[in-house]
Amino acid sequence: MKTIAIDIKSMTIPELEALLTGMGQPRFRAKQLFSWMHDKRVLSFDEMKNLPASLREQLKRDCTLTAFTTERRLCSQTDGTIKYLYRLGDGEYVESVLMRYEHGISLCISTQVGCRMGCSFCASTKAGFVRHLTPSEILEQVYAAGRDTGERISSIVLMGIGEPLDNFDNVLRFLELVAAPEGLNLSHRHISLSTCGLVNRIYELADMDLQITLSISLHATNDETRDAIMPVNHKWKIGELLKACRYYTDKTHRRISYEYSLISGVNDSPQQAVELAALLKGSLCHVNLIPVNYVEEAGYEKSSRQRIYQFQKVLCDRGVNATVRRTLGADIDAACGQLRRQALRSS
């Protein structure tokens, strides 16, 4: 029976120490190996020149360095946004989007192949759920974008394909590895995690006090509307979700970001803006208003520009901080899920 290769890029330094001492190596080799993978971010054991040749050969036999192929790379001609479609080792696809802002470079990454949350307006869930990404596969999206551009990623958004809190353990390991001083050393304060509202996991995350920014995909002001567009609401109603969010804020003292995709005729009326302001009154929060992305099967249309800014004004007038998200990469379909669906259709 074929032995499964060890995914060493998903391992912490103590785990690498245990692995390498088991191979008869001194413990200090673990930090050298970790540095090659997470600081220098090489893709070959042969490049790890300060490791003995015999160890490099053993690592090649027993371990794997997670890497994948860039299947497509689209660069916006209007704002420099770059969209990547990656082909994983098993032939599956995920996407990442690199966005340029005045404050630095932000990367939106995927956490699963597909998604099982079933939100009706989202392209990522249309082809169904395939599997979780490993910590190294989540990380490698960050490393691959850095190698491609030669620039440092200054912030990360877990808002691509998949529900991060549905891949809880692997996402936590990713957060540990990406913040490691011996690696990318990216503060959790520069990482945002977006969830459709897995309430039990929000409580767990709050108790860990990781200082990440929590983004809640809300998209409705009452349970009837949210039930219709977001199946997760059948398990955890809006009231339960907002209670968990208040707990998160109380524990971490971090402001929560509420994502609200404006869908014409569904959730964009002035009255719904009043309802949203009432729901969030007194909360430490910010609302991102997002013109919904067109998804062929859903048939939803984004709200008019006038309707969007009217909705924003209602919120701001009632003391709720709200901004309209700037659309980046519009000429390359930068919303996650689109390229993967095209690739699946053509394969």
Side-chain angles (χ1 to χ4, degrees):
M1 188 171 69
K2 185 177 179 182
T3 304
I4 298 175
I6 301 169
D7 175 18
I8 59 171
K9 199 182 285 186
S10 290
M11 299 174 73
T12 62
I13 289 177
E15 289 170 340
L16 290 173
E17 287 177 349
L19 175 69
L20 293 175
T21 54
M23 295 178 175
Q25 297 293 324
R27 293 178 61 186
F28 73 83
R29 295 288 184 208
K31 284 191 175 182
Q32 291 177 326
L33 178 56
F34 191 93
S35 177
W36 282 111
M37 293 187 293
H38 300 286
D39 182 22
K40 301 177 181 66
R41 299 185 276 283
V42 302
L43 293 175
S44 166
F45 292 114
D46 291 327
E47 297 178 70
M48 302 178 181
K49 298 302 184 183
N50 62 349
L51 301 185
S54 59
L55 174 57
R56 296 201 301 267
E57 289 302 316
Q58 188 171 3
L59 291 172
K60 281 193 279 186
R61 286 195 308 269
D62 298 341
C63 306
T64 182
L65 280 174
T66 298
F68 31 71
T69 305
T70 303
E71 195 79 2
R72 294 187 68 186
R73 179 188 186 275
L74 304 178
C75 185
S76 170
Q77 299 303 303
T78 58
D79 53 43
T81 297
I82 304 174
K83 185 165 187 177
Y84 301 98
L85 176 68
Y86 295 119
R87 188 180 181 95
L88 307 180
D90 61 357
E92 297 293 343
Y93 298 96
V94 293
E95 298 173 28
S96 301
V97 181
L98 182 146
M99 298 160 287
R100 300 180 184 279
Y101 297 97
E102 289 184 6
H103 60 266
I105 294 176
S106 181
L107 186 71
C108 179
I109 60 176
S110 299
T111 55
Q112 295 177 313
V113 180
C115 181
R116 54 184 159 204
M117 295 298 107
C119 300
S120 62
F121 51 84
C122 181
S124 298
T125 197
K126 295 304 179 186
F129 173 78
V130 179
R131 66 173 177 87
H132 297 308
L133 294 184
T134 64
S136 60
E137 288 173 327
I138 303 172
L139 267 173
E140 184 55 27
Q141 296 170 71
V142 182
Y143 297 168
R147 282 191 294 266
D148 176 57
T149 62
E151 299 171 276
R152 177 176 170 81
I153 305 301
S154 52
S155 63
I156 295 172
V157 184
L158 283 76
M159 201 181 286
I161 296 172
E163 163 58 59
L165 296 187
D166 189 37
N167 188 13
F168 195 66
D169 291 339
N170 287 346
V171 166
L172 287 182
R173 173 56 61 90
F174 159 78
L175 292 172
E176 181 180 1
L177 292 171
V178 79
E182 301 85 354
L184 195 62
N185 195 25
L186 185 69
S187 167
H188 286 162
R189 287 180 171 269
H190 298 293
I191 298 176
S192 297
L193 183 152
S194 176
T195 176
C196 66
L198 304 192
V199 166
N200 58 331
R201 295 302 195 186
I202 293 173
Y203 281 111
E204 289 184 61
L205 204 61
D207 288 336
M208 293 174 185
D209 194 14
L210 296 177
Q211 291 297 295
I212 61 174
T213 297
L214 186 64
S215 294
I216 302 295
S217 294
L218 189 58
H219 310 309
T221 62
N222 59 71
D223 287 324
E224 181 181 4
T225 302
R226 201 165 193 262
D227 281 346
I229 62 176
M230 300 182 71
V232 70
N233 206 70
H234 294 290
K235 185 168 185 178
W236 291 294
K237 298 301 184 184
I238 290 177
E240 297 172 273
L241 174 58
L242 294 181
K243 182 180 178 181
C245 290
R246 287 191 291 272
Y247 182 83
Y248 186 89
T249 298
D250 289 343
K251 292 287 286 189
T252 66
H253 307 290
R254 298 282 288 166
R255 184 180 73 168
I256 286 181
S257 175
Y258 289 96
E259 312 292 322
Y260 196 98
S261 290
L262 288 157
I263 307 170
S264 180
V266 175
N267 65 354
D268 65 341
S269 71
Q271 179 56 37
Q272 285 164 314
V274 171
E275 291 170 3
L276 182 58
L279 283 175
L280 301 182
K281 184 179 180 181
S283 300
L284 181 62
C285 70
H286 174 264
V287 177
N288 274 320
L289 299 175
I290 310 164
V292 73
N293 293 301
Y294 177 75
V295 176
E296 185 178 341
E297 294 91 337
Y300 293 135
E301 298 290 340
K302 67 181 179 182
S303 304
S304 68
R305 181 180 175 86
Q306 178 182 359
R307 191 83 154 176
I308 292 169
Y309 284 98
Q310 181 185 27
F311 200 98
Q312 180 195 22
K313 185 176 186 302
V314 171
L315 292 176
C316 292
D317 286 348
R318 282 161 175 76
V320 176
N321 186 22
T323 56
V324 178
R325 178 175 292 172
R326 175 182 161 210
T327 300
L328 296 176
D331 57 327
I332 57 171
D333 287 332
C336 268
Q338 307 282 14
L339 286 187
R340 176 173 176 260
R341 292 173 69 230
Q342 292 172 19
L344 292 174
R345 286 170 176 171
S346 61
S347 61

